[in-house]
Amino acid sequence: MALALSLQKIYLPNGIMTNGVGYYVDTNFVLKNKRKEKELEQDLASKKLLTVIETGKVLGIGRIRVYELIKGGFLPALNIGGLKVRREAIDEFLTKYEGYDFSNIKNIVKMNS
């Protein structure tokens, strides 16, 4: 008597699938998320006011660091149903503080070139 083994695909939230034996990437999931990221980038480019999380995505930092920059007076923000940062304020911040080290928010220093 032969024993039949039924393998079922199980989808994990990050696009990884398993069939009970091994793992493999669902390329459709990856492509769909890449499209969503591209749409998000296009949406961010057209907005005048960005949330703290969106500002962090633009700057490539986390939301806590954005809050620290706002609290420290380095990045101006508006409180309109939550903190918002103007796109122009981000550009001004990047221009003004280019060449500075923000790894310690309490001790901002100019980097040696």
Side-chain angles (χ1 to χ4, degrees), residues 1 27 34 48 51 58 80-82 90 94 108 113:
M1 184 161 147
T27 54
K34 291 249 186 240
K48 285 189 174 205
T51 66
V58 168
I80 306 174
I90 295 171
L94 292 172
I108 308 303
S113 7

Side-chain angles (χ1 to χ4, degrees), residues 65 68-69 72 74 101-108:
R65 181 56 63 136
E68 291 172 345
L69 291 173
F74 299 104
D101 180 359
F102 276 82
S103 57
N104 180 354
I105 200 79
K106 293 179 182 172
N107 184 28
I108 308 303

Side-chain angles (χ1 to χ4, degrees), residues 52-53 62-72 83:
V52 169
I53 291 172
R63 66 179 174 78
I64 292 173
R65 181 56 63 136
V66 174
Y67 281 118
E68 291 172 345
L69 291 173
I70 293 169
K71 185 178 178 183
L83 288 177

Side-chain angles (χ1 to χ4, degrees), residues 7-50:
L7 298 177
Q8 180 181 357
K9 289 182 183 176
I10 300 169
Y11 291 86
L12 303 175
N14 57 0
I16 305 291
M17 292 184 294
T18 180
N19 57 9
V21 176
Y23 294 95
Y24 55 98
V25 176
D26 180 1
T27 54
N28 288 331
F29 178 87
V30 172
L31 292 174
K32 190 179 358 173
N33 276 355
K34 291 249 186 240
R35 270 188 247 119
K36 283 183 183 177
E37 285 177 21
K38 197 169 192 174
E39 289 170 9
L40 178 63
E41 286 174 17
Q42 290 169 348
D43 288 346
L44 291 180
S46 65
K47 290 176 105 177
K48 285 189 174 205
L49 289 175
L50 303 175

